Amino acid sequence: IVVLDFGSQYAQLIVRRAREQHVYSVLLPHDTPEEEVMALSPMGFILSGGPASVYEAGAPQLPPYVLKSGLPVLGICYGMQVLALSLGGKVLSSARREYGLAELYINDLDCPLWEGMPFSLPVWMSHGDVIAELPPGFQPLASTANSPVAAMGDPSRRVYGVQFHPEVVHTPHGKDIVHNFLY
């Protein structure tokens, strides 16, 4: 798994969580050239969070090869937002920022990302932007009181995004969510 770093303070932790699931992973900057990334023969991508807002001038963008590859993708926080924007969705500044613990309500327990999860679970949030419009073909997979789209996905393409941080211990089922994505 290639973890593309968009500036997250938790990027190394994402790599660790994948390795704890017995999946080799590598952390690379988001602007690593396609040839270098694809030479690793990745089986999927995880897009880290980051401090930028996707709609700001000069914000890091999703490399086109990620989607072109057809491989599974999991976007985390900023990674979800850059994924949504790249696929034709809309991201806006939230009227209310969301930091710390939040209760996540899962819309569809049949989604592979939620296998073995309860209907609701505590998650760690750290964001000021929201998905205002889903990309075509995507469905909302979970919400919080402040984020109507706290997770999104197109399971047929194996492309998912979560607004929260599954890699931190403050998200008790986070390891399970990472496992479900990887396997």
Side-chain angles (χ1 to χ4, degrees), residues 38-54:
M38 298 315 282
L40 297 170
S41 300
M43 298 298 293
F45 293 95
I46 298 178
L47 314 174
S48 85
S53 290
V54 294

Side-chain angles (χ1 to χ4, degrees), residues 27-43:
L27 178 64
L28 297 173
H30 72 278
D31 57 356
T32 301
E34 177 179 2
E35 303 76 35
E36 187 178 331
V37 173
M38 298 315 282
L40 297 170
S41 300
M43 298 298 293

Side-chain angles (χ1 to χ4, degrees), residues 10 77 80-81 93-105 121-131 142-151 162-165:
Y10 304 128
C77 198
M80 174 178 157
Q81 296 163 8
S93 180
S94 176
R96 188 170 159 251
R97 296 179 183 271
E98 195 169 27
Y99 294 109
L101 284 175
E103 194 67 19
L104 183 79
Y105 299 98
L121 52 134
V123 295
W124 189 258
M125 292 285 201
S126 179
H127 68 98
D129 295 331
V130 295
I131 306 299
S143 62
T144 66
N146 192 53
S147 295
V149 182
V162 294
Q163 189 60 66
F164 58 91
H165 291 274

Side-chain angles (χ1 to χ4, degrees), residues 1-5 10-29 37 40-47 74 76 167 178 181-183:
I1 293 292
V2 170
V3 178
L4 292 179
D5 185 6
Y10 304 128
Q12 290 286 351
L13 193 51
I14 298 168
V15 171
R16 178 179 173 183
R17 293 294 177 240
R19 290 181 179 179
E20 287 172 350
Q21 300 296 329
H22 308 288
V23 173
Y24 180 70
S25 61
V26 172
L27 178 64
L28 297 173
V37 173
L40 297 170
S41 300
M43 298 298 293
F45 293 95
I46 298 178
L47 314 174
L74 174 63
I76 297 173
E167 71 274 22
V178 171
F181 170 72
L182 295 172
Y183 289 98

